[in-house]
Amino acid sequence: MTAITVTPCTGPGAEIGNVDLSQPLSDEDFATIRQAFADHGLIFFRDQTITPEQHIAFAERWGDINVNRFFTPVDGYPEIAEVRKEPDQKTNIGGGWHTDHSYDQEPAMGSILVARELPPAGGDTMFADMAAAYDALDAETKAKLDGLEAVHSSKHIFGGESAYKDSGDVGERLHNADAADALDDVVHPVVITHPLSGKKILYVNPAFTLRIKGWTPEASLALLGPLYGHAMQDEFVTRFEWKPGSIAFWDNRATWHYALNDYQGERRLMHRITLEGCALAA
Ligand code: SIN
């Protein structure tokens, strides 16, 4: 087979070509993909045909699998979470800007999402590059963020009184949507140094970040709102159109993502594996 290719997308991310993820990767090919992942924080694969076992094997090449405590697992594969929307369901999972597991003390390093059933049209996922978003901030804003920490939580999303629980149809599919599983709030620096790339990253997100530590909700919103608006600008965003055989692998420390919900009346089924991460530092 010819050498693996790494083709940067027009926006954030890169597409990896000439690779078959159903086969074990050589050390050399894995090193190429790992470098692309570190450089871009977001990589895509097309035209793959992989079984759940091969999905798990690819994930294990990167590290330990983190079993998400909220999502329904794929039957027979506790390591794989189902991201499913049925034709009669109105709300989707992940339909807002977020990064997976920022509510954990050691947030998941990455998520590998495999398309299993796609709607005839729609259901794209948008990704934002949070290193580029940080870089583009002006010096005054960067100075203001220096040393700040933010509080992140899963309770308002997955807990007993949460948004998903209230939305009924999604709540039914989150198998552990219970306050007991939504752990205590955690604190991370607002700007982290990425553990792989060493880049500075804006590490707050609209879904799971509650407030700046020690600040009122109002003062927090006054800072976070404009930061979120800044990060959502087109220049930092890639829109990924799923096709049969597509796989996206994003770094949760370096990106946000947003699953578009524009395919009412159709089924969309994805398989997601999240990988264990580490504590984050400024
Ligand atoms: C997610 O938020 O992890 C799911 C993304 C998607 O379904 O596109």
Side-chain angles (χ1 to χ4, degrees):
M1 194 174 216
T2 42
I4 285 191
T5 56
V6 178
T7 310
C9 301
T10 315
E15 191 167 316
I16 312 294
N18 284 336
V19 65
D20 178 357
L21 297 183
S22 72
Q23 301 302 314
L25 290 169
S26 68
D27 289 346
E28 191 188 343
D29 285 351
F30 181 70
T32 304
I33 298 173
R34 195 170 192 277
Q35 191 58 52
F37 185 72
D39 291 343
H40 298 275
L42 172 63
I43 53 178
F44 302 112
F45 303 87
R46 296 286 193 186
D47 304 317
Q48 302 293 319
T49 308
I50 61 168
T51 62
E53 288 82 0
Q54 290 161 345
H55 187 182
I56 293 168
F58 177 60
E60 284 177 336
R61 205 56 210 267
W62 297 79
D64 292 337
I65 291 175
N66 171 297
V67 177
N68 184 290
R69 59 192 178 280
F70 301 118
F71 283 62
T72 299
V74 172
D75 218 10
Y77 300 96
E79 306 90 335
I80 307 179
E82 258 195 1
V83 179
R84 176 192 288 271
K85 182 171 180 248
E86 290 294 344
D88 62 338
Q89 291 170 324
K90 297 279 177 266
T91 314
N92 70 334
I93 292 175
W97 282 115
H98 67 286
T99 187
D100 299 333
H101 292 232
S102 77
Y103 48 77
D104 281 340
Q105 201 70 55
E106 297 190 348
M109 166 277 216
S111 303
I112 305 172
L113 192 68
V114 176
R116 293 296 180 195
E117 274 188 74
L118 295 170
D124 296 352
T125 306
M126 297 200 295
F127 295 91
D129 179 341
M130 300 309 290
Y134 175 77
D135 277 350
L137 291 171
D138 58 50
E140 194 185 331
T141 308
K142 285 181 179 165
K144 201 189 292 178
L145 300 183
D146 195 25
L148 293 182
E149 294 180 313
V151 181
H152 298 245
S153 179
S154 58
K155 289 188 186 124
H156 59 295
I157 303 289
F158 298 117
E161 307 301 320
S162 71
Y164 275 152
K165 196 85 172 180
D166 290 346
S167 81
D169 53 2
V170 170
E172 282 162 24
R173 273 170 296 132
L174 292 168
H175 87 130
N176 270 330
D178 190 298
D181 292 296
L183 299 181
D184 288 344
D185 301 346
V186 301
V187 169
H188 303 295
V190 168
V191 179
I192 59 163
T193 300
H194 192 277
L196 262 184
S197 67
K199 292 178 189 168
K200 291 280 185 196
I201 312 274
L202 185 57
Y203 192 72
V204 282
N205 69 89
F208 299 120
T209 306
L210 291 184
R211 63 183 178 279
I212 304 297
K213 186 181 168 195
W215 291 25
T216 63
E218 294 74 21
S220 300
L221 191 61
L223 179 71
L224 293 172
L227 285 178
Y228 294 159
H230 166 79
M232 288 170 198
Q233 294 178 93
D234 286 352
E235 63 192 288
F236 308 126
V237 173
T238 283
R239 179 170 175 153
F240 184 64
E241 186 186 348
W242 294 93
K243 299 205 167 81
S246 297
I247 298 176
F249 182 11
W250 61 87
D251 186 316
N252 282 305
R253 294 86 49 101
T255 57
W256 285 352
H257 57 282
Y258 183 154
L260 294 173
N261 188 15
D262 55 356
Y263 53 97
Q264 298 299 353
E266 305 289 348
R267 172 178 293 115
R268 180 177 183 271
L269 174 63
M270 318 293 273
H271 284 181
R272 193 183 87 181
I273 294 182
T274 43
L275 292 159
E276 290 288 3
C278 58
L280 300 173

